[in-house]
Amino acid sequence: MDTGGSMDPYIRTCSQLFTAAHSSTHFKDFQYYYFHNCVYDEVYRDVERMDKVSTDYLLQKLEPDYKTVIVGDAYMAPSELLDKNGVIYYYHSNDTPGIGVVEADCGTFYAYCLAESRLRLQQPPATVALISKISQCIVLTLDGLDKAVKETGS
């Protein structure tokens, strides 16, 4: 889940979403991790982004029947998505551009959730258009997630 910045208005929605998903009996296992703006080489177990986990490790560890849902608004600088070391934090680096991580995850990954206001923009940010080309994008609501799950047959 994307945290901070442009996602701040969606804190309550995300909290409700994760609470519902975590308490649901539909999932055999539910794990969540945090990132800021884009998924890079690492994600975090805590919202403060101190306890990191290798993204490659997670993708290798997941069983083939796992689905990954990236919750974010796809709103970031294009360099964060497209460039090696485009990560927003000065002391961090990423060997793989963010778009590469999303593309590599397409085997288990089925939806990038967008804030509805981003989808309604006449001229959405370039990063929204780029992510929409490689993944299914849905509106960040329970109905949106339900639709995505049904469409993937999960």
Side-chain angles (χ1 to χ4, degrees):
M1 181 178 111
D2 186 2
T3 60
S6 60
M7 285 296 291
D8 283 349
Y10 306 100
I11 290 171
R12 184 169 182 219
T13 301
C14 289
S15 176
Q16 291 171 333
L17 176 69
F18 277 92
T19 298
H22 196 265
S23 62
S24 172
T25 58
H26 297 315
F27 304 108
K28 69 177 180 182
D29 184 31
F30 180 81
Q31 300 176 35
Y32 56 92
Y33 299 90
Y34 300 95
F35 62 92
H36 183 61
N37 285 356
C38 190
V39 177
Y40 299 112
D41 296 342
E42 297 158 341
V43 291
Y44 301 87
R45 289 185 178 100
D46 59 329
V47 73
E48 294 83 16
R49 297 183 305 275
M50 302 299 275
D51 186 7
K52 61 185 171 182
V53 179
S54 163
T55 306
D56 283 341
Y57 169 77
L58 281 177
L59 294 176
Q60 292 169 10
K61 179 182 128 175
L62 294 175
E63 298 292 326
D65 62 338
Y66 270 72
K67 299 292 183 188
T68 303
V69 178
I70 298 178
V71 178
D73 62 1
Y75 194 64
M76 66 202 82
S79 60
E80 291 179 74
L81 188 61
L82 300 172
D83 296 348
K84 177 181 175 178
N85 294 319
V87 66
I88 194 170
Y89 297 107
Y90 182 76
Y91 292 106
H92 295 183
S93 64
N94 57 301
D95 291 332
T96 305
I99 195 85
V101 175
V102 174
E103 287 174 327
D105 193 20
C106 280
T108 59
F109 156 86
Y110 71 85
Y112 199 103
C113 303
L114 300 172
E116 189 170 11
S117 60
R118 299 280 183 244
L119 293 175
R120 289 187 181 165
L121 292 173
Q122 203 166 13
Q123 188 78 27
T127 51
V128 172
L130 287 166
I131 289 173
S132 295
K133 288 180 182 177
I134 62 167
S135 68
Q136 178 185 4
C137 293
I138 61 170
V139 177
L140 186 59
T141 63
L142 290 176
D143 288 340
L145 285 174
D146 187 51
K147 179 181 176 205
V149 170
K150 286 178 182 170
E151 287 177 4
T152 62
S154 300

